[in-house]
Amino acid sequence: GPCRVFLTSTTQDGNLGGLSGADTICQGLASTAGLPGTYRAWLSDDTQSPSTRFSQSDGAYQLISGATVANSWTDLTDGTLATPITVTETGATFDDPGLRAWTNTLANGNAGGVLNENCVGWTSSTNGPHGDEGQVTATSDNWTTFASGTCNNEFHLYCFQQSK
């Protein structure tokens, strides 16, 4: 079956507890919502990225609502999405173009972004360092590479199912 994808219903500052802390946020929200499987955050630091951390599915990636985001990993990482990732783990939709998600990830799944910054490995919540972000309503590569903000901002995460 398809891998589920959701936007976190909560927002976090840039101190996510590193990649593992972000994965824990995704997993906790998925478990609370009764979603099966293992989830990881679409997030990169200086050494790891979705292209190295994710199980790359040949099957579809779908929102909780059932809408297809991409037909496969190759389709997911080609620079465009079929539909934006605006549906949370609870099924609520956040479709405000002003909303952002922490990423520091290029559309191809590798680390990088506008400034290639990751809030000091996703451990800083201060106004000095930056973290790269995506625009939640975008279907172009802006979904993951849109801007960079200081780490005291509160943004969402994109969460991707890795296993059933």
Side-chain angles (χ1 to χ4, degrees), residues 60-79:
Y61 290 88
Q62 291 183 343
L63 299 176
I64 303 306
S65 64
T68 297
V69 171
N71 291 314
S72 64
W73 174 262
T74 302
D75 189 29
L76 177 66
T77 56
D78 70 0

Side-chain angles (χ1 to χ4, degrees), residues 98-121:
L99 296 179
R100 306 285 184 263
W102 293 117
T103 63
N104 187 44
T105 305
L106 300 170
N108 65 8
N110 293 325
V114 175
L115 296 178
N116 192 20
E117 301 236 4
N118 55 44
C119 293
V120 193

Side-chain angles (χ1 to χ4, degrees), residues 21-56:
D23 292 344
T24 298
I25 292 167
C26 285
Q27 188 63 52
L29 291 171
S31 295
T32 299
L35 301 176
T38 303
Y39 288 79
R40 288 195 174 151
W42 178 269
L43 201 64
S44 300
D45 63 13
D46 291 334
T47 60
Q48 297 182 73
S49 67
S51 65
T52 61
R53 300 178 346 104
F54 278 28
S55 299
Q56 299 176 10

